[in-house]
Amino acid sequence: MYYDFRADKLREECGVFGIFSRHDDVALNTYWGLYALQHRGQESAGIAVTDGSEMEVQRGMGLVGEVFRQGLPALRGHIAIGHVRYSTTGSSLPANTQPLLVTYSGGHISLAHNGNLTNAHELRQALEKQGSVFQTSVDSEVIVNLIARSSQGTIEDKIKESLTRIKGAYCLVIMTEDKLIGVRDPHGFRPLCLGRLGGGWVIASESCALDIVGAELVRDIEPGEMVVISDAGLKSERFGQKDRKALCVFEYIYFARPDSIIDGQSVYEARFRMGQQLARESGLAADIVISVPDSGTTAALGFSRETGIPYAEGLIKNRYIGRTFIQPEQKKRDLGVRMKLNAVRHTVQGKSIIMVDDSIVRGTTSGKIVRMLKEAGAVAVHMCVSSPPIGFPCYYGIDTAVRKELIAATKQVEEIRQFIGADSLHYLSLDGLKQSITNVASDAMCYACFNCDYPAGMPACTAAGGNKYVFE
């Protein structure tokens, strides 16, 4: 398992991309789309292509540029899907890379999945008793098996029947020999959007992936919607019962790229407003405002705008360190922080500093950064966090630690401040967070990691603190 260099950040499972076009190089466009979605997963990448009779998939461990260094799938087709992964169910292994490709009585299916199923364990046990053989330890393979075993006549009906049995968070792009299908779960936990590219169509986790291939954002795929694209055009179908919409609020806080638009809300605008609201709530004064790059930068700019305190670069991020230093063992995490971030002594020396970050998970890295700034001469470091304290794990596609490792689950704010060594610590309130996201109704988002309100319930197998390796 690989971690963000800061080791204190929530990590999202993956990004998905799909394209249907008779006029474009679908493999190349998918490659570009995955580049734009690289922030959603850095463990593995893959592309599957079909020409209507054959399917070819190319997958591997590493970043998009590493996996396809020797070239893209050779098959010239009209449909392609792609995937970048960070594991939340199953280990980081070559066998768990996506898209998955299976052959069944009706032909071929390739599938890429973003999210986490809360009943995958029960479904897999039932399928194994019926004779299914699994090749991976990812919950996505459960979905493929359900589709392949369905007795329904059309692929659309097979998928819809399968979706009635799964619970949790899922955005899917599915490819058959002649159709590209996009699916978003009835709660809409994860984002999925639809774009137009000339005479073709594009489906992607975020609108930034549409931008890079020159596609126009048409709309977001709705919760509980299945979009089917073929030579006959595009059709939309509803499946399942209408559930409470619950888009993950961390898409706006941290996961999504700032230049994306999700469910009609600019991510950049939401983060900027979070910074402004945090400034109003904290009432702090200092010499400069800095961010922990890059995820805290937009909120820091909002904080600076609201207070009039100048924004400065107090921390520089080294963008050229490879994955060698991004390992989960604590010693390597410590080295990773030093290799990736360095304080700008000229900027921080003799200054009182407001340092803005998007979240604190374990607290270990925040403490190292505070010490780094003070060693560089900062006279005071006030830490401001543009989200509420994370006290509960996520079961819907985020790789959080078990609850006992979440610092806010066991410590109060003052205790956290003492642990990280900051002169003061201020979190954005939950009400302030809701006010910052102006284009999405506050009751249409999931805040479970803050308030333990799980819209789709919790997995049965949580006694050990999580179910990431439940199939191993």
Side-chain angles (χ1 to χ4, degrees):
M1 181 172 67
Y2 291 90
Y3 282 79
D4 184 292
F5 74 90
R6 290 157 60 192
D8 250 353
K9 296 291 103 177
L10 300 177
R11 300 301 298 150
E12 222 265 340
E13 183 178 8
C14 56
V16 297
F17 185 92
I19 179 171
F20 185 107
S21 176
R22 293 285 185 180
H23 309 290
D24 298 281
D25 186 331
V26 293
L28 182 59
N29 276 278
T30 302
Y31 174 76
W32 288 337
L34 294 183
Y35 247 117
L37 298 172
Q38 185 75 86
H39 60 286
R40 299 188 74 89
Q42 300 87 42
E43 289 185 0
S44 65
I47 294 174
V49 182
T50 185
D51 63 359
S53 58
E54 298 179 32
M55 279 193 191
E56 179 184 351
V57 62
Q58 185 175 333
R59 308 175 301 188
M61 304 298 295
L63 303 175
V64 174
E66 298 168 347
V67 172
F68 300 105
R69 181 173 292 143
Q70 302 303 318
L72 298 172
L75 187 65
R76 299 287 296 182
H78 65 290
I79 311 175
I81 64 173
H83 187 269
V84 288
R85 180 174 190 257
Y86 180 88
S87 56
T88 61
T89 299
S91 294
S92 178
L93 299 170
N96 290 339
T97 58
Q98 297 188 37
L100 302 178
L101 175 60
V102 298
T103 301
Y104 75 114
S105 59
H108 304 288
I109 298 176
S110 186
L111 176 145
H113 170 213
N114 175 24
N116 218 47
L117 305 185
T118 56
N119 66 336
H121 182 58
E122 304 95 298
L123 289 174
R124 179 158 169 156
Q125 286 183 324
L127 288 165
E128 287 175 333
K129 288 178 181 178
Q130 296 169 17
S132 290
V133 176
F134 288 83
Q135 305 296 323
T136 77
S137 59
V138 297
D139 56 353
S140 312
E141 194 176 4
V142 170
I143 305 172
V144 172
N145 267 270
L146 290 172
I147 295 171
R149 294 177 69 91
S150 171
S151 60
Q152 296 295 316
T154 67
I155 186 62
E156 293 93 330
D157 289 337
K158 289 178 184 291
I159 293 171
K160 285 194 289 186
E161 181 182 68
S162 302
L163 297 178
T164 63
R165 299 185 61 185
I166 64 177
K167 299 176 182 178
Y170 53 91
C171 278
L172 309 173
V173 287
I174 302 170
M175 180 176 72
T176 68
E177 288 88 348
D178 59 355
K179 291 175 182 174
L180 173 65
I181 300 169
V183 176
R184 190 178 182 189
D185 73 74
H187 289 285
F189 285 111
R190 299 283 148 226
L192 196 65
C193 62
L194 177 69
R196 197 80 161 112
L197 179 62
W201 295 93
V202 179
I203 298 171
S205 292
E206 293 183 36
S207 64
C208 63
L210 305 183
D211 295 337
I212 199 171
V213 300
E216 179 185 357
L217 174 63
V218 175
R219 63 178 178 87
D220 293 280
I221 293 175
E222 293 295 318
E225 181 183 13
M226 179 172 71
V227 171
V228 182
I229 301 166
S230 67
D231 282 325
L234 181 146
K235 66 176 180 178
S236 171
E237 300 185 28
R238 303 291 306 183
F239 65 89
Q241 295 181 344
K242 186 174 179 60
D243 289 318
R244 162 191 162 193
K245 186 176 179 181
L247 173 66
C248 174
V249 72
F250 250 94
E251 294 288 348
Y252 296 114
I253 296 169
Y254 173 61
F255 294 138
R257 265 181 37 169
D259 52 334
S260 287
I261 298 171
I262 296 176
D263 285 351
Q265 172 68 62
S266 161
V267 176
Y268 182 92
E269 180 188 34
R271 289 182 190 166
F272 194 88
R273 289 178 181 273
M274 289 172 203
Q276 291 180 303
Q277 181 65 25
L278 182 58
R280 290 190 286 268
E281 291 182 5
S282 69
L284 282 173
D287 295 320
I288 57 173
V289 176
I290 70 169
S291 71
V292 179
D294 291 312
S295 58
T297 300
T298 307
L301 290 170
F303 196 110
S304 173
R305 171 76 64 83
E306 183 67 21
T307 60
I309 300 170
Y311 172 82
E313 285 191 291
L315 293 166
I316 295 297
K317 180 178 178 180
N318 184 349
R319 305 177 191 280
Y320 303 100
I321 298 298
R323 290 157 56 87
T324 305
F325 297 102
I326 313 176
Q327 299 287 338
E329 294 86 355
Q330 191 62 48
K331 289 183 180 178
K332 293 181 180 177
R333 286 180 184 174
D334 295 348
L335 177 61
V337 174
R338 291 284 180 178
M339 294 296 294
K340 280 283 188 175
L341 283 178
N342 195 33
V344 183
R345 184 175 296 272
H346 176 76
T347 300
V348 305
Q349 192 169 34
K351 302 284 201 326
S352 62
I353 295 168
I354 294 170
M355 180 176 74
V356 180
D357 202 357
D358 61 90
S359 59
I360 300 176
V361 181
R362 295 174 182 86
T364 52
T365 304
S366 299
K368 294 179 180 68
I369 297 172
V370 170
R371 286 197 300 275
M372 184 190 302
L373 290 167
K374 291 193 172 183
E375 288 169 2
V379 297
V381 178
H382 304 281
M383 184 159 189
C384 289
V385 183
S386 59
S387 64
I390 301 168
F392 305 93
C394 175
Y395 304 109
Y396 305 138
I398 303 173
D399 184 24
T400 49
V402 294
R403 187 169 185 235
K404 65 182 180 181
E405 293 182 0
L406 299 171
I407 193 168
T410 58
K411 296 181 186 295
Q412 298 298 313
V413 173
E414 173 57 20
E415 295 174 305
I416 299 172
R417 183 200 68 77
Q418 293 175 15
F419 180 82
I420 66 175
D423 292 273
S424 67
L425 173 63
H426 303 269
Y427 285 93
L428 181 63
S429 68
L430 185 56
D431 283 343
L433 175 63
K434 293 177 181 179
Q435 293 171 25
S436 303
I437 304 171
T438 55
N439 292 347
V440 180
S442 60
D443 60 357
M445 286 182 284
C446 177
Y447 310 98
C449 54
F450 304 132
N451 63 9
C452 198
D453 178 10
Y454 294 97
M458 294 185 287
C461 50
T462 56
N467 66 336
K468 178 170 181 173
Y469 306 107
V470 69
F471 300 138
E472 299 176 10

